Structures are given as structure tokens and as C-alpha cells.
Amino acid sequence: MRRRVGPLRGSGAERGVSTMVSYVLVIVISSLLVTGLLLSVSTFVTDQRESTTREGIEVVGQQLADHLALADKLVRASEPTASGPEVSLTRRLPPTLAGTRYTISVSSGPPVVITLQTRANDVTAEVSVWTTTDVASGSLTGGPVHIRYDVSADALVVESG
Amino acid sequence: MAPVTAPGLGGRDRAQLIVIGAFALAVSLVALALVLNTAIYTHNLASRGNGGATESAQFLPQAERGAGSIVENVNAEHAGEPYTDLTTTHYETQLGNWSDAMARGAATNSQLVSVAPASSSPTADVEGVRIADDADGGSPFQPAFGTPSDWLVATDVRLRNYAGTVNRTDTATVSSVDLALDPLNLNAFVAEFVDADGDTWQVALYVHDTDNRVTAKVERPNGNTLTCSAPGETVRFDLTSGLLGNEPCQAFSFVERMDGLVDVHYYNGDQVEGQYSLVVDRTVASESTENGSMTHPVDVANVGTQCDGPTYETASSAGTGTPYVSPAIYAVDVQVSHRNPAATYEGRLRVAPHEPGDRPQTPALTELVVTDATGGDGTFEVEWDTRDPNGDTVDITIDVSEPDTSGTFDRSGSGSEAFTVGDDGDTSEEYDITLTATDGSNSRSVTVTHLDDGDDSGCPP
């Protein structure tokens, strides 16, 4: 005789409970897992982005400092005259770092301190450099810069280029 | 079998959480990739060259060295020619040719360069004197007027490019040299440098008897000594570059810090044979005479009076074993221009090859001519001219003194004037005429001796 397969007879209200429980468990566990994964990945990405940005602006600051030192060297090597020396250096620095714009501020020292700050995540870096020639204080938006020697002020000026 | 589904949810809504989660994760990973890409870009940026700005900084020393070799070449190859020929004919032509050749080479590298003589300024084209004793095969380091054991080579000068050679076989061989003793009592050649503060450096050049090497022993003002030596038959010494036999010689390092005026004495010039040359920042009157602000005080110190040829001959005696003086370029200013896409430089460089220390500060007397028209009247006409390395105003004090009386006159920069002191009709009196040039903080003077005999020949004139 063929046995009939079908819902158990008797306690009709308990039918399908195990399916429900396992479903809820699956939902809860997987949402915990997914949320945890997402949180850790996004924290990791944020940290990475911040450290990359910091590294980036430090490099940019050092390159600017390098150019200031170079301009200082050129001015120092020259005999002062009424019109010179004419020194002008251009450096194509990136306009954004890790997707955010940044500002450069130069404070005349000594030593000259170059402070870079990103706008979005507020990462800052400071680079200092000793120069014999004075450097005019100022601040500018990140991007290509232009360093020139101002004969009348006897100082190096950093401008957006 | 019926599909297992949650109550109230259709098949389409299954695993939404996983899909959304996976999507968000994917986005985060893409962001991470971008960030890492930025990191790589930063490293790339950090290791990248600076776009040509360094080339400017490298070009300046190159221009200075090039112009410096031209100056030295002109001084050595055209010794005995007047100052104007040295600067305008030779130096400017050679500098122009060199600049053109360099510009052609640089143009292939996207650079525009030029090096040209700077237009006149107080510091451009400083006249000097080259002192040399350059007989083939060498000669003793003695003056033109004979064979004294000690003599003054130059006084109150800035010197540069002081180099020469020593022949080992003709140089005194000794076991040791005690520089604490009076150099006159030594049996080795000693060159002595005395600066304005009285600090003294002595350089003995001899052959050491055990290793048979040419040895330089230097005593510093504090009494410490340093020694270096070099092998070979003919050993080159270069005081201003600090080399003995082409090897660095620590003992010569004092020269690098000697940035004031110095006196140079030679002792026991007969104990050495070789050649030497140096350039000093004083002048001679012309290419055909040894007289001038450089030789007057030297002659006065060596023989008591200044006359043609006591200490030095002119360049016509080059190569005879007699030391000679010739007009030379001490320093020049060059206008240097260097342009490339990342940098523009246009400036003036001072070129004084192998000059130790900082640039000179002391004014120089570039002309001093004393004429005596009438004997016994105590009147001498003095013509003078000065130059200050910083372009400062130069004040001149003229002291005229004779055995009975003296007079002091304050004048400025350049001029020509007759001064009368002690008009007593005595034609046998010797007059010392001293000109002191000062810019306020630095001064330098020259004394000449004349006889009130109404002519400018003889000795004293």
C-alpha cells in the first residue's frame, strides 16, 4: 500500500515552525555578517584614504620645500643687481589628493613652514625648510605652483601657477 | 514539492540583503582600489624628477667653472698683454665662443642658455696681477734682484689660484723640519702667510730623507703641525685647491679659510726648485713695467725703495727663471641665462677661480703715479684711482713725509693733485708718500719713496 505523504495530522498550528525559525536565523546571521563586513571594509577604506592623503600632502609639501630651497640656492649664488636675479620655478603639483582639494600656506620663518591641509577630511602636514633668502608668507589653493624672486622685497614668493 | 518561502514573501524578494550587502561591499572595494591607486600615484609623484628646475641649479656651477677656466687660460696664455686686451679681446671672445657652443648643446635638451660678460659695474672685471716663475724644468724660488734667503712675495693682498710644482731632485732633503724655529735657521724652503690679525701659517716644502717623497709641513698659528707627502719626480702643489701631487692635502686646508688680506713671504728659496704662480687683487701700472700698487710695497720691503725690476720682471722674462708680474684678470662678473619649461634664471655670477674664503671687501688702489717736476720744492704730483669690491665710496688719505716734516691730506676715490711738504730746497731728501684707501671698515695702503731731485729716473726715482 502506498503511504500518503502530507501534512502531519494532529497539531495543525505547529506546522512550518522550523522553516520560519531557520529563515529568521538566516536573516539575522547574514545581516550581522554583512553589516560587520561593510563596517570593517568602510573603516579600512577610510583609514587607507586618510593615510594615503597624508602621505600625498607630505610629498607635495616636500616637493614645494625642495623648490624653495632650489630657488634660494639660485638667488644666493647670484650677485645682487638692480633688476635681478630673475628666478622663477614652476612645479606642477596635483590639484587634488585622494579626490580632495587642499590648501597650501607658507609662513616665513626661519625656518619656513609649509602647512598643507585637505578640505574634505581635514588632514594636515607640515614641512619646514631653512632658506637664506626670505620667503613671503601667503596661502594658496593646491595645484601647480610658481616660485619667483621678488627683487624689490628681496624675498621668494609662492603663487598659484 | 512546494517551494520553501517565507510567509508573505514572494520569490522575487529572496536574498535582497545579500545582494545589497554584496553591492555595498563591491563599492567599498572599488573605493579601496581607487585609494590604493592614489597611493601608487603619490609614490610616483615622490620619485619623479622636479621637471627641470634642478638643471638651473646645476648650470650655475657649470657656467662658473667654464668662465673660470677661460679667465685662467687668458691670464696664463696672454701674460704680458694690457688689461684691456685681456678682457675685451681675449676673455670676451672666448667666453662668447664657449657660450655659443654650450647653447647649441643645451638646445637639443629643450634648454636655452647663455653666458655673457656682465655690463660694467663696480665689481665686474676686477684687474689683478699674476705672479709667476715658470722656467721650463723649474728654478729656485728667488726674486729678480738676486739670491736673498728671504723675501716678500706680496703684501696686503687677496690671492687665488696659488699652485706650482716642486722638482724632487733639486729640493733640499732633510730628516725633519722644526717650524717652531725661525725659518731663516732651517735648511728647507718655507712659504709664510700672515693675515691682518697677525696669525701666521708656515708651509715648508722639502724631500723627506727616509721615504724620498716631496713633503709639505704646515704649522698653524696655534703651533700645531700637519704634514702630507707625495711621490714623483715633479710634484704639483695647489694651495688654493688643497692638493699635493693631485691628492687632497689636509694640511693646506687653512688656505680655504684665509678670507682677509695676507702677506706672503718666502724663506730659503734656494732650497727648492720648481715653478709657481698665483693671482692677487692688486695692479701693475701696465704690461711693460713691473711698477704698480702690487709691486711698490713689495719692493719697498725687499730693497727699501721701489724701482723697476728689483723683485719682479715683466712678462718678457717669462720662462727665464726670474719671477715676473703681468696684468691679469682677478675676477669677472658674467650674466647667466638659463631657461627650460620649468625654470627661468637670469642673473649675474661672480667668477674668481680658486679664490679661498668669501669675496674681498677691501678697496684696491688701481692707480698710483707720483711725478716730481722740480727738485728741492717739496712738491710731488700724485695721481690715484681706486676700486671697491662692494661699490662703496672710498676715502683716500695721503701722507707725505720727509725727514723733517710731514703732511696728511684727505681726499676721495680718484684724482690728481700736487702736494707740497717741506719746501726747503734740499734735493737729496727722500719722501715717503703713503696712500691709504678705506671704505669705512676696510683699508689698504701703499707707500712709495721718491727723491726730491726733480726727475723720475734712478732709484729712488
Side-chain angles (χ1 to χ4, degrees), chain B residues 172-416:
Chain B
T173 303
V174 290
S175 57
S176 72
V177 169
D178 184 0
L179 286 170
L181 301 175
D182 183 342
L184 282 175
N185 297 333
L186 299 173
N187 47 1
F189 168 74
V190 175
E192 183 184 79
F193 300 84
V194 184
D195 73 6
D197 303 326
D199 286 342
T200 304
W201 290 266
Q202 290 180 330
V203 181
L205 288 172
Y206 56 95
V207 179
H208 197 266
D209 61 354
T210 49
D211 58 12
N212 218 16
R213 286 156 71 98
V214 171
T215 307
K217 184 173 184 178
V218 175
E219 189 193 50
R220 296 178 169 184
N222 62 10
N224 291 348
T225 56
L226 275 173
T227 307
C228 14
S229 64
E233 281 304 309
T234 305
V235 174
R236 184 175 158 74
F237 65 91
D238 189 335
L239 285 162
T240 40
S241 300
L243 299 171
L244 182 71
N246 298 325
E247 295 286 329
C249 173
Q250 183 65 30
F252 293 159
S253 61
F254 74 94
V255 181
E256 197 44 55
R257 293 186 295 276
M258 217 163 52
D259 58 4
L261 299 180
V262 289
D263 291 357
V264 184
H265 262 100
Y266 280 176
Y267 295 97
N268 315 321
D270 54 338
Q271 300 292 329
V272 69
E273 273 194 29
Q275 305 176 343
Y276 61 88
S277 70
L278 64 154
V279 179
V280 300
D281 70 336
R282 284 192 175 226
T283 50
V284 286
S286 78
E287 73 285 1
S288 55
T289 171
E290 65 100 31
N291 281 323
S293 78
M294 189 260 137
T295 46
H296 281 155
V298 169
D299 288 344
V300 168
N302 286 332
V303 295
T305 183
Q306 82 293 340
C307 294
D308 278 341
T311 307
Y312 295 106
E313 295 291 350
T314 60
S316 57
S317 302
T320 60
T322 310
Y324 64 91
V325 284
S326 58
I329 304 171
Y330 182 79
V332 289
D333 275 9
V334 289
Q335 191 70 26
V336 176
S337 164
H338 181 273
R339 282 164 208 275
N340 68 18
T344 303
Y345 174 83
E346 177 92 46
R348 180 181 281 215
L349 297 184
R350 177 172 180 275
V351 178
H354 305 294
E355 181 186 55
D358 291 336
R359 52 182 306 153
Q361 304 291 329
T362 317
L365 270 163
T366 52
E367 187 186 353
L368 171 57
V369 179
V370 178
T371 44
D372 181 17
T374 317
D377 64 352
T379 301
F380 291 90
E381 185 171 313
V382 181
E383 197 181 333
W384 71 93
D385 197 3
T386 55
R387 179 208 293 274
D388 186 78
N390 306 321
D392 295 339
T393 315
V394 180
D395 293 324
I396 289 283
T397 309
I398 299 169
D399 289 297
V400 184
S401 69
E402 53 123 15
D404 314 314
T405 181
S406 64
T408 300
F409 310 90
D410 291 328
R411 297 289 184 271
S412 64
S414 66
S416 175

Side-chain angles (χ1 to χ4, degrees), chain B residues 119-138:
Chain B
S119 55
S120 65
S121 83
T123 56
D125 295 358
V126 177
E127 293 169 352
V129 175
R130 180 170 179 269
I131 303 170
D133 186 349
D134 55 5
D136 284 344

Side-chain angles (χ1 to χ4, degrees), chain A residues 40-150:
Chain A
S40 61
V41 167
S42 67
T43 318
F44 181 65
V45 170
T46 313
D47 286 353
Q48 280 294 311
R49 187 170 176 212
E50 199 176 308
S51 75
T52 306
T53 315
R54 177 164 293 113
E55 234 176 74
I57 58 173
E58 268 171 20
V59 165
V60 166
Q62 278 156 6
Q63 290 186 336
L64 187 55
D66 166 60
H67 262 53
L68 273 176
L70 208 56
D72 175 48
K73 191 176 167 186
L74 291 171
V75 172
R76 248 184 313 142
S78 313
E79 292 292 301
T81 58
S83 61
E86 182 195 344
V87 173
S88 115
L89 304 177
T90 308
R91 176 85 215 206
R92 308 204 68 78
L93 297 174
T96 58
L97 283 166
T100 79
R101 300 189 69 80
Y102 62 99
T103 54
I104 302 170
S105 52
V106 180
S107 79
S108 52
V112 177
V113 178
I114 302 164
T115 312
L116 299 105
Q117 184 165 31
T118 57
R119 288 186 180 166
N121 45 1
D122 208 25
V123 176
T124 58
E126 271 190 10
V127 180
S128 57
V129 57
W130 288 91
T131 56
T132 309
T133 317
D134 288 344
V135 178
S137 298
S139 90
L140 53 147
T141 337
V145 291
H146 185 71
I147 298 170
R148 67 177 175 84
Y149 175 64
D150 183 343

